[in-house]
Amino acid sequence: MGRVLTVGLALAALVVALAVAAVLVATAGWDRATTRLRARLEAGGRRPAPLGAPDATGLPAVVRRYLERSLPPGAAPILMATIRQEGTFQMGKGEAGWRRFHATQHVRAYPPGFLWDASIEMMPLIPVRVRDGYFDGAGMMKGAMAALVTVVEAEPTRELAEGALYRYLAEAVWVPSRLLPGEGLTWEAVDDSTAEATLREGESEVSVLFGFDASGDIVSMHVPERGREVDGVYLPTPWTGRLWDHQDVDGYRIPLQGEVAWVVDGVEVPYWRGRMASVAYRNSTIPS
């Protein structure tokens, strides 16, 4: 009996070792793929054509105030940003469905592009790796348990690309010079505390309603209809978010915390709550 038990334990240890090795190999492969995608993102970047000034004629007053408050005087436009995030992501229902995550997001300002690489804690020692992005007019999204077993990989459809472009525009609050008019971006006043930004990218056009507080900070964003994937079908659904804890980072004033939700049957369903753990910008005046 002792010999059988010893052999059984040895086999179990071997299985565990092989499983750990498989996860380590898969994780290394995932990270290499992410590095290649980041290099592709950066290689496709360029400096923009001359952009509109914050005091440009015709720019809504609330937007002028925001840009003057958020951009350092005379700064060159941000070309790339690296944002490290941490927080919780809703992977189920109710409070029990929230899972901790950490992520690194690389944003290319011109032309639009981003890469979000996240690790979400589904169970001890077995995270779900998620890669989300927008490259040259196409969206991408893949998730894999422990970077090994693919659990979702979206087809590169028009709806996926449009949804990614909506996200890019909404998250331009973390790359505030991208909200200067020009390079396909325009503003239109809605009221004294709301303005609509529209971004044209190739054949796509998306618009986001931004809400501003009395001091001029962006504190909310809203899209009346963004495609929400449900069983392989994209349903037009209101998408909304709140932003707070505005601080200066390298001279740029940005929100460091936020929450994003779908509005389903009139009820907000949050799915992302996060904070910016660090933000680094690259332009012609700030070294990478």
Side-chain angles (χ1 to χ4, degrees):
M1 175 65 75
R3 179 179 176 80
V4 172
L5 180 60
T6 299
V7 171
L9 290 173
L11 288 173
L14 178 60
V15 169
V16 170
L18 290 173
V20 170
V23 169
L24 291 174
V25 169
T27 298
W30 181 280
D31 291 340
R32 285 194 299 271
T34 299
T35 299
R36 289 193 296 269
L37 287 169
R38 177 186 178 183
R40 174 185 162 193
L41 186 74
E42 294 185 351
R46 58 170 172 77
R47 280 180 165 74
L51 300 171
D55 60 353
T57 301
L59 201 60
V62 69
V63 178
R64 284 202 310 272
R65 186 165 64 247
Y66 161 75
L67 292 172
E68 290 168 352
R69 181 175 174 79
S70 301
L71 304 180
I78 297 165
L79 304 181
M80 293 288 303
T82 298
I83 304 167
R84 304 196 188 283
Q85 306 171 345
E86 56 187 29
T88 54
F89 199 91
Q90 180 59 266
M91 299 292 286
K93 292 183 179 181
E95 287 303 313
W98 289 99
R99 296 288 186 271
R100 295 194 60 79
F101 81 89
H102 63 270
T104 300
Q105 179 157 319
H106 305 285
V107 182
R108 183 182 70 197
Y110 310 98
F114 73 87
L115 174 65
W116 188 70
D117 181 32
S119 179
I120 304 174
E121 299 175 3
M122 284 298 293
M123 57 186 72
L125 304 178
I126 305 180
V128 173
R129 297 296 298 271
V130 178
R131 198 159 47 222
D132 198 7
Y134 181 81
F135 289 82
D136 307 320
M140 63 165 292
M141 197 272 285
K142 181 176 182 177
M145 186 73 71
L148 181 63
V149 180
T150 299
V151 292
V152 61
E153 187 163 13
E155 293 292 325
T157 61
R158 178 185 62 79
E159 292 87 354
L160 183 67
E162 184 179 80
L165 192 58
Y166 271 118
R167 174 177 169 179
Y168 173 88
L169 179 55
E171 295 182 356
V173 293
W174 289 301
V175 189
S177 63
R178 190 58 182 91
L179 292 174
L180 284 163
E183 288 284 338
L185 190 134
T186 58
W187 284 96
E188 183 175 346
V190 176
D191 55 38
D192 290 343
S193 62
T194 312
E196 182 178 64
T198 296
L199 179 62
R200 297 171 182 84
E201 163 74 353
E203 297 181 357
S204 299
E205 179 178 297
V206 298
S207 296
V208 174
L209 292 166
F210 288 103
F212 302 79
D213 66 10
S215 64
D217 290 325
I218 289 179
V219 294
S220 68
M221 66 83 181
H222 183 75
V223 175
E225 291 188 347
R226 181 186 178 214
R228 178 174 61 97
E229 193 273 330
V230 179
D231 297 329
V233 177
Y234 287 87
L235 304 178
T237 306
W239 184 60
T240 194
R242 283 180 286 275
L243 303 159
W244 64 92
D245 191 15
H246 295 74
Q247 298 185 31
D248 287 345
V249 176
D250 282 338
Y252 298 93
R253 184 172 173 81
I254 61 173
L256 295 186
Q257 297 191 63
E259 177 184 87
V260 180
W262 293 105
V263 183
V264 181
D265 297 327
V267 177
E268 284 194 16
V269 183
Y271 66 89
W272 180 93
R273 294 169 176 161
R275 63 178 292 270
M276 309 305 109
S278 68
V279 182
Y281 295 122
R282 184 189 311 169
N283 57 22
S284 61
T285 61
I286 299 175
S288 59

